[in-house]
Amino acid sequence: MTLETETDISDFSQIDFTNGVVAAVSGGSDSTALLLLLKDHLDRIAPATKLLAVTIDHDLRPGAAAEAQAVARLCAGRGIAHRILVWSGRKPSTGLPAAAREARYRLLAEAARAEGIGLIVTGHTADDQAETVLMRQVRDDGARDGGRGLAGMAPATLYDWRIWIARPFLGTRRAALRDVLRRANVGWAEDPTNEDEAFERPRVRAALADGNGVQRMEDAVALAARAAVEREHLGHRAAALIRGFASKPADGLVRLDPGFATAGDEPAAVYALRIMLATVGGVAFLPDQARSEALLERLRVGLFCASPFCATLSRTVVDARRAGIFLRREIRNLPPAALAADDALWDGRRRITLSDKPGAFLIAPLGAAHAAKRAIAEDGTPPSLVRAALAAEPALWRSHPGEYPGECLGLVQDSTVSSRMAACPVVAPFARFLPSFDLAPARTVAALIGAPLVPAMPFRGHTAG
């Protein structure tokens, strides 16, 4: 009898492992059970599948290296390829859990790309999901973020717009996974930081250990399920509004038809506005819910007053006039001239790809003086808005002695420059992490601004939820 059929707790059959899979294995119970169950599944269903186990040593405590070596021995004994990656360098004095999480996903993604693998799986459980939701409730994320965060962790998240991270155990309790390991006579490591109540998650975990913990956990998981459905539905409605009312008259400029503000679905309109503001401004986080609601109301009132209106939120200038509602990056706080670097994210808005040698050119905003010289198409868009948007777009510069930044060779997207460099637009709030809940609006905004397509979901025949 196999591990998987014996426990009936995991179902990998809906995940597409065609291009291989990286399993994130810390040595704890959840990830160790993930590795054993996944190996069992692949041996039976697709034995030729490339499986790589990766352990991240965060270099934060003395026992971490020994735990990584224990995972290496487990993998060697079962014929599983394994790699240990170390988070080296200085660690931050504040925000350590978030920084460690960012480093962990970065290193996992690097390992996956090195092997040509587009899928990572993690052992996050229903316990982790409940803790996440409860932490967000305590922070009152619902009020600040419109309730999006109460959906918890998504079943899949796209990292860096390239690699999917799947979480097949979000409906499985940690205790069930430990039972799997006990029956298989396999031990696991206990990370002492999981008990350190100096950090938020261990405090929530300790609170769930009391007499009412089981009910609170079940309630939190049920809340996450409801919030996930609501978030996905909201995303589809927001995407429909963007398709119906948004256009891109010029690089760096988005136009909303005035009817966007009066479409009748205020929650979807606010969500769509927040995504577009963050995208145009190159900001990784959506603007505050309350401020976005107030902005939409001001736009709605302005339509009836027929008076121009201008505001700035999330580095985006919102310019409402008879011709439409226009969004562009504000001129303040643009990146200074710097050497063009391959695979760099410029101003949070464009991913740079070099075809020339690094360091040969500078990249800097086009600037108002050069934008004023450009011919503007007569399509009804106010030329002043087009030029203001272009002034904030990235341009390629050749540096000369005594000149800064030097000779402007043109916008990166110009044909005279594109042979040396490409600068693909990115959907800023989802460029690093795109939860599957938000696929619909992310895809729609990507199509609007000309960003690359979202890679196919890692699930066979299933929607994001």
Side-chain angles (χ1 to χ4, degrees):
M1 184 175 291
T2 67
L3 285 170
E4 191 169 355
T5 55
E6 180 183 7
T7 58
D8 194 29
I9 61 170
S10 58
D11 182 6
F12 297 109
S13 64
Q14 299 305 321
I15 301 179
D16 185 357
F17 295 111
T18 303
N19 296 317
V21 57
V22 166
V25 186
S26 66
S29 60
D30 306 346
S31 61
T32 301
L34 169 75
L35 179 65
L36 298 187
L37 291 168
L38 179 59
K39 170 68 168 152
D40 178 73
H41 172 80
L42 294 177
D43 283 348
R44 291 184 294 107
I45 305 301
T49 298
K50 181 185 292 186
L51 169 61
L52 172 66
V54 175
T55 302
I56 307 300
D57 177 359
H58 294 89
D59 193 25
L60 293 174
R61 51 189 179 80
E67 291 166 10
Q69 290 298 329
V71 177
R73 291 191 294 273
L74 175 68
C75 290
R78 294 174 181 263
I80 302 171
H82 179 254
R83 185 173 302 165
I84 299 172
L85 300 177
V86 180
W87 180 29
S88 56
R90 295 182 61 183
K91 308 301 189 289
S93 57
T94 60
L96 183 60
R101 183 168 55 252
E102 170 64 28
R104 179 164 60 252
Y105 284 124
R106 174 178 55 81
L107 291 170
L108 288 169
E110 289 174 1
R113 284 198 293 269
E115 297 291 333
I117 295 173
L119 175 64
I120 298 167
V121 292
T122 70
H124 291 106
T125 65
D127 300 62
D128 297 309
Q129 184 75 299
E131 293 160 7
T132 298
V133 172
L134 290 172
M135 286 190 296
R136 292 175 180 177
Q137 280 186 311
V138 170
R139 298 182 205 143
D140 197 22
D141 283 3
R144 184 184 57 81
D145 200 34
R148 294 173 66 254
L150 297 181
M153 292 179 283
T157 297
L158 184 63
Y159 177 79
D160 218 16
W161 210 261
R162 299 172 183 172
I163 294 177
W164 280 104
I165 301 167
R167 304 178 179 93
F169 289 161
L170 285 182
T172 303
R173 290 295 308 274
R174 178 171 293 120
L177 295 177
R178 292 186 171 187
D179 286 343
V180 169
L181 297 180
R182 291 187 185 98
R183 283 193 289 269
N185 198 29
V186 174
W188 64 85
E190 293 285 2
D191 184 346
T193 59
N194 289 334
E195 308 297 328
D196 186 353
E197 295 190 20
F199 298 107
E200 182 182 23
R201 187 175 290 273
R203 290 197 300 271
V204 172
R205 187 168 298 168
L208 288 173
D210 63 21
N212 196 35
V214 173
Q215 186 60 52
R216 291 182 63 201
M217 181 171 293
E218 291 177 355
D219 291 345
V221 171
L223 172 60
R226 294 193 302 272
V229 172
E230 293 170 2
R231 178 167 164 179
E232 192 170 353
H233 288 172
L234 181 65
H236 280 285
R237 285 151 43 210
L241 288 176
I242 295 169
R243 285 193 298 271
F245 293 100
S247 59
K248 190 185 81 167
D251 287 320
L253 187 65
V254 169
R255 177 188 179 274
L256 299 176
D257 186 88
F260 172 85
T262 57
D265 187 349
E266 181 173 341
V270 171
Y271 187 32
L273 182 61
R274 295 173 71 202
I275 294 172
M276 288 187 290
L277 287 169
T279 298
V280 173
V283 178
F285 298 98
L286 300 184
D288 179 79
Q289 174 80 11
R291 296 184 67 187
S292 302
E293 290 173 352
L295 176 58
L296 181 66
E297 178 61 23
R298 182 64 183 84
L299 292 171
R300 186 184 297 115
V301 171
L303 290 177
F304 295 105
C305 298
S307 58
F309 167 69
C310 194
T312 302
L313 183 58
S314 289
R315 306 198 313 187
T316 296
V317 176
V318 182
D319 193 322
R321 50 181 73 190
R322 288 185 178 181
I325 302 167
F326 294 90
L327 311 179
R328 61 176 173 83
R329 170 69 162 93
E330 67 173 333
I331 297 297
R332 294 186 307 161
N333 301 318
L334 288 165
L339 292 175
D342 193 37
D343 202 32
L345 190 59
W346 187 84
D347 195 39
R349 295 185 289 143
R350 290 183 178 266
R351 189 170 297 281
I352 305 299
T353 305
L354 297 181
S355 51
D356 214 320
K357 61 181 180 180
F361 301 97
L362 296 176
I363 185 169
L366 179 65
H370 287 280
K373 301 174 184 177
R374 297 182 67 90
I376 303 300
E378 296 295 334
D379 64 351
T381 304
S384 61
L385 291 181
V386 175
R387 292 191 172 99
L390 292 178
E393 288 294 285
L396 197 63
W397 299 72
R398 180 185 289 119
S399 181
H400 295 288
E403 296 183 12
Y404 181 84
E407 175 191 0
C408 181
L409 304 179
L411 290 169
V412 172
Q413 57 267 36
D414 287 351
S415 58
T416 56
V417 175
S418 58
S419 61
R420 299 184 176 102
M421 175 191 297
C424 290
V426 301
V427 185
F430 302 128
R432 199 63 161 169
F433 294 98
L434 168 56
S436 51
F437 306 134
D438 304 312
L439 269 179
R443 283 171 169 159
T444 302
V445 174
L448 172 68
I449 66 175
L453 296 175
V454 177
M457 282 276 286
F459 302 126
R460 296 188 178 99
H462 277 240
T463 64

